[in-house]
Structures are given as C-alpha cells and as structure tokens.
Amino acid sequence: MYKDELEMLVKFLGEDLLKEENQKKLQELVFSKIKRKEDFQSTHELLKTLESYELRDFLYSKLLESYFSIFNIIYEEGSLKYGDENYKVTIDNETFDSLIELLDESEINGEILFYLLSEDLKKRVEIIQQLISGRSKKEWNEEELKSFVKNLKPLTTRFFELLIEKGKMKSEEIMEILELKNKKSVSALVSAVIRNAPNDKEKLIFKDNEYICINEKYRNKIFEITNKL
C-alpha cells in the first residue's frame, strides 16, 4: 500500500523528493504511516531497486527512522538514541531485513533492541539473558485471561482497558485521563496489574523508556474479553 504511494512519488518527482518542500509531504503520505511488517518489507524491496544512490540513501534513512520510532528509539544521521544514551550504528540491507522480522516478536521492546545493536558487549549479554528468561515464561490461555481481568479492581480495570485501547501511553497522559494525583498513582496501577498475574506467565504490560505498554501478543484477545464482561 505505502510502497505503491512511494513508488508513484519516486516516478513523478524523482530526486526532487530530496527538496525540503517535498520531504514533509513524503513523511505525511508514506513514512509516518508505515507500521506493519509487510509494509516495511515491500518498501525496503522497492528502495533496493532505485538507481539514484543519493535518493536511495535518503529514503532508506527515512525508513529506518520509521522503524525505530515504533520502539521509541530515535534514528538520526547514523545514530541511535534511547533515553539519554546514544551510539553510532551502521545498518545494511541484510541487517534491516532481519530487524524487520523482529516485529513479529512480542518480547522485543525499545530497550532490548537498543542494546542488542550496541557495541557494549556486557549490555548485549544482559539482554540475551533477559530474552532467554522471558522465553521460559508460559503463555496465557483465554480462560486465564478472563479470570485475570475479572479479578482486577475498578480503577485498575479502567487503566488496563485504557492501555488496551492506546497500546502505549506516557504516565502523564494516564494521570490526566484517569484524574490521578501523581506518577506514584500510575506506578501503583502498574504494580497492581503485575501483582495479580502469576509469576510464571508472560508479562501483559511492561515499561519501555517513558512509555507503559501493553503486550501486543494479547492485546486483541483481552480487548474481546473486556467487551464481553
């Protein structure tokens, strides 16, 4: 879909896409909307066919920006930034093909991806250990999810439903919508969700930098359950 939009823009504008006045339109029509694995794959394949190195390099950097933004990581001029940390990185086509495949993995969040790509060996080992530990967690079945949701208190249920609707939210946004006094109240709700879940089960919510996120693996199923209650 967005690959076709980009292909049309390249056909009619060519290297004029490099002009500042066209870059905003390019961002609005294509790169700000690419979220799905299939769209990244098809767009990436299109970029590989472009003859103009300058245009291909520019569009590739925009595609990388879109990809990393999904994980709340900033990609800019060959650098990755997550929170207060940043480092230089080189991502070739084959590596990016592999990164796109990670979009299917619910365990991968911004912190994990950021440190997996870093040159800090200690951090990379810690992240691998974290992933291995996460793999040992058991999946939730539908009946377990139903029981979990039913046992939540009213305010925690509202918080949980809000996360399901939004996918990820900052504490400030949660405070405003739920009319909470401070971030400690948000932390208490997060703790309540975690506390009510068995220790051997996969996480339903997690913290990713400044965002609180729902586990996308269970998002649709929980949405269906809450609508039936």
Side-chain angles (χ1 to χ4, degrees):
M1 178 181 173
Y2 301 116
K3 170 253 185 185
D4 296 333
E5 292 266 9
L6 180 58
E7 191 170 20
M8 183 179 67
L9 288 170
V10 169
K11 180 179 179 180
F12 286 102
L13 295 176
E15 292 194 355
D16 281 346
L17 285 172
L18 298 171
K19 294 180 179 179
E20 189 173 344
E21 60 265 28
N22 290 326
Q23 289 183 23
K24 185 176 180 181
K25 183 181 295 184
L26 184 66
Q27 183 68 23
E28 290 175 352
L29 292 176
V30 181
F31 292 110
S32 66
K33 297 180 179 179
I34 298 179
K35 305 292 182 186
R36 297 167 58 248
K37 173 183 171 181
E38 294 76 11
D39 291 326
F40 277 106
Q41 288 174 327
S42 60
T43 304
H44 190 211
E45 289 305 312
L46 170 64
L47 298 189
K48 293 176 185 178
T49 68
L50 301 183
E51 295 181 359
S52 168
Y53 173 80
E54 187 177 6
L55 181 59
R56 184 171 71 245
D57 192 49
F58 168 72
L59 295 177
Y60 183 53
S61 69
K62 290 297 179 184
L63 189 61
L64 288 175
E65 286 178 21
S66 297
Y67 175 84
F68 284 108
S69 69
I70 293 175
F71 298 94
N72 304 317
I73 298 173
I74 297 172
Y75 176 84
E76 190 174 42
E77 297 181 354
S79 292
L80 291 180
K81 182 179 180 182
Y82 183 77
D84 295 327
E85 298 185 59
N86 66 84
Y87 56 81
K88 287 284 186 181
V89 66
T90 300
I91 300 172
D92 59 27
N93 286 317
E94 288 186 6
T95 301
F96 189 49
D97 283 334
S98 298
L99 288 175
I100 292 172
E101 293 296 329
L102 293 181
L103 291 172
D104 282 339
E105 300 295 332
S106 61
E107 296 95 339
I108 302 297
N109 58 35
E111 180 184 20
I112 288 173
L113 183 60
F114 182 78
Y115 289 121
L116 273 179
L117 295 175
S118 90
E119 294 183 353
D120 187 329
L121 185 58
K122 181 175 180 293
K123 287 287 188 182
R124 288 164 68 179
V125 171
E126 288 175 353
I127 288 300
I128 291 171
Q129 289 174 328
Q130 183 178 329
L131 284 172
I132 292 172
S133 173
R135 293 288 187 183
S136 66
K137 298 288 187 180
K138 297 177 183 177
E139 291 188 352
W140 292 76
N141 61 42
E142 186 169 351
E143 290 305 314
E144 289 169 336
L145 287 172
K146 284 180 181 178
S147 176
F148 172 80
V149 172
K150 284 181 180 179
N151 287 330
L152 295 177
K153 293 182 178 180
L155 183 58
T156 310
T157 300
R158 284 180 61 202
F159 162 67
F160 200 48
E161 289 175 343
L162 194 58
L163 269 186
I164 292 165
E165 177 188 346
K166 302 285 188 178
K168 62 181 182 181
M169 300 178 71
K170 292 183 178 181
S171 293
E172 292 81 1
E173 188 180 1
I174 296 170
M175 286 167 53
E176 181 180 351
I177 295 175
L178 296 182
E179 299 180 347
L180 303 175
K181 292 181 179 180
N182 49 47
K183 289 186 178 181
K184 287 185 178 180
S185 299
V186 178
S187 297
L189 290 174
V190 173
S191 297
V193 172
I194 295 172
R195 188 172 58 250
N196 277 280
N199 291 329
D200 63 342
K201 292 294 184 183
E202 293 177 332
K203 290 182 180 179
L204 295 178
I205 64 172
F206 57 89
K207 192 83 182 292
D208 187 6
N209 200 10
E210 57 187 359
Y211 286 90
I212 298 168
C213 310
I214 193 80
N215 187 335
E216 290 292 338
K217 181 177 181 179
Y218 298 105
R219 186 178 177 186
N220 288 338
K221 179 55 65 178
I222 297 172
F223 177 77
E224 292 172 4
I225 291 170
T226 55
N227 277 350
K228 291 177 182 177
L229 293 178

